[in-house]
Amino acid sequence: MRLTARPTAEGAGGTSARVATRSYRWWTPYVFMAPYLALFVTFVLAPIGYGLWISLHEWDINLPAKPFVGLDNYRELLDTGSVDGPRFWAAMRATGIFTALSLPFLLVVSLFVALLMNGRFRGRNLYRAVYFAPYVLGVAVVGLLWRFLLDGNIGMVNHYLGVLGLPDDIQWTTDTPAAWWGLVGVTVWWTLGFNAVIYLAGLQDIPAELYEAARVDGAGAWHRFAHVTLPGLRPVFLFVVNATLLASANMFGQSYLITAGAPADETKTAIFLIAETGLRRFEMGTASAMSFVLALALMATSAVVFRVFRDRQEDR
């Protein structure tokens, strides 16, 4: 018996129907993206555009007139003889000092903690929770807590330093460099757990077979760390470096609550100065110009970080 194919709709007409159906569905991805795009435009792009517009004006929120001044706010920041220029670059210098001091600790110490977290021992979950717990606290809680602990006269830190026979008259909140080390120590204690958890996720993604092969080849603990762990953490390390760099450069709450910028505004960071200029002095145009200059500096720094990691990846 010979079988014959029955005519179906899957002929030329069916193919054209499918093509037509697909052509009418080009908008499907945009429908799914629409909620995110709406939020992104409303809460990111629109504020950026509005802030840029404000930076081109002499914008005092208490005055009805907001004259257009063009790039004068930016020129004033670059003028060393102006009022705001030296203050802004002093704040940028303070931001750079804090970032340079805190970044190594937040990268290295958190990696060491993550390596301990990745081990197998009793109470491992409690150990992880203890290190991550400070991160869930708000900056107001952390700042007020450590403001009293670091007080030079009644603070618990100086008290226990005296118990150990160490100098107990250090002014952690009103003198440098002690104030810098106090801010760095508080920040490391507060945010260490986040970086450690990110590192831990990266460590758990490294195949165990690589460590077994290294052991078979006679590699010790250090060689396994240098030739297996660190290369395996390269993408995670790039994320941690960039995120920590940006977070450190945007430090505000610790300086505002613990040192109040003392002594003599030496610990007043760029974000601190921007908030003070815009919300206390009501010079929103100048504050917006400061914000965009800081943003450009951070974008350039991030580009350098990505370039360095890319070059090292190509060298390998």
Side-chain angles (χ1 to χ4, degrees), residues 169-189:
D169 57 349
I170 301 175
Q171 300 301 314
W172 296 101
T173 61
T174 59
D175 193 15
T176 54
W180 283 122
W181 290 117
L183 292 173
V184 169
V186 170
T187 303
V188 171
W189 171 84

Side-chain angles (χ1 to χ4, degrees), residues 295-314:
L296 290 175
L298 294 181
M299 290 170 62
T301 305
S302 297
V304 171
V305 171
F306 277 101
R307 181 61 182 269
V308 169
F309 275 84
R310 187 183 68 180
D311 291 343
R312 289 185 178 180
Q313 184 69 26
E314 291 176 353

Side-chain angles (χ1 to χ4, degrees), residues 155-232:
M156 296 292 289
V157 173
N158 276 349
H159 171 74
Y160 284 110
L161 287 176
V163 171
L164 296 174
L166 299 174
D168 59 355
D169 57 349
I170 301 175
Q171 300 301 314
W172 296 101
T173 61
T174 59
D175 193 15
T176 54
W180 283 122
W181 290 117
L183 292 173
V184 169
V186 170
T187 303
V188 171
W189 171 84
W190 180 32
T191 61
L192 174 70
F194 176 79
N195 286 356
V197 169
I198 301 299
Y199 278 134
L200 179 61
L203 290 171
Q204 294 178 345
D205 281 341
I206 299 176
E209 293 80 5
L210 296 179
Y211 290 103
E212 292 297 332
R215 290 191 183 93
V216 171
D217 290 340
W222 171 252
H223 286 87
R224 292 197 300 271
F225 174 76
H227 298 288
V228 178
T229 302
L230 289 182

Side-chain angles (χ1 to χ4, degrees), residues 5 12 23 25 33 35 54 58 71 93 157 159 205 211 231 264 297 315:
S23 66
R25 291 180 179 176
M33 292 174 60
I54 290 176
E58 186 178 340
L71 299 177
R93 176 178 176 273
V157 173
H159 171 74
D205 281 341
Y211 290 103
D315 292 341

Side-chain angles (χ1 to χ4, degrees), residues 76-95 264-266 268-278 280-281 283 286-287 290:
E76 187 176 358
L77 295 181
L78 299 176
D79 184 3
T80 56
S82 66
V83 175
D84 293 311
R87 295 172 63 245
F88 175 67
W89 293 110
M92 290 288 284
R93 176 178 176 273
T95 301
D265 291 345
E266 288 189 38
K268 181 178 289 186
T269 59
I271 298 294
F272 192 160
L273 179 63
I274 291 170
E276 182 181 67
T277 302
R280 183 174 296 175
R281 295 166 52 196
E283 298 176 4
T286 302
M290 292 178 179

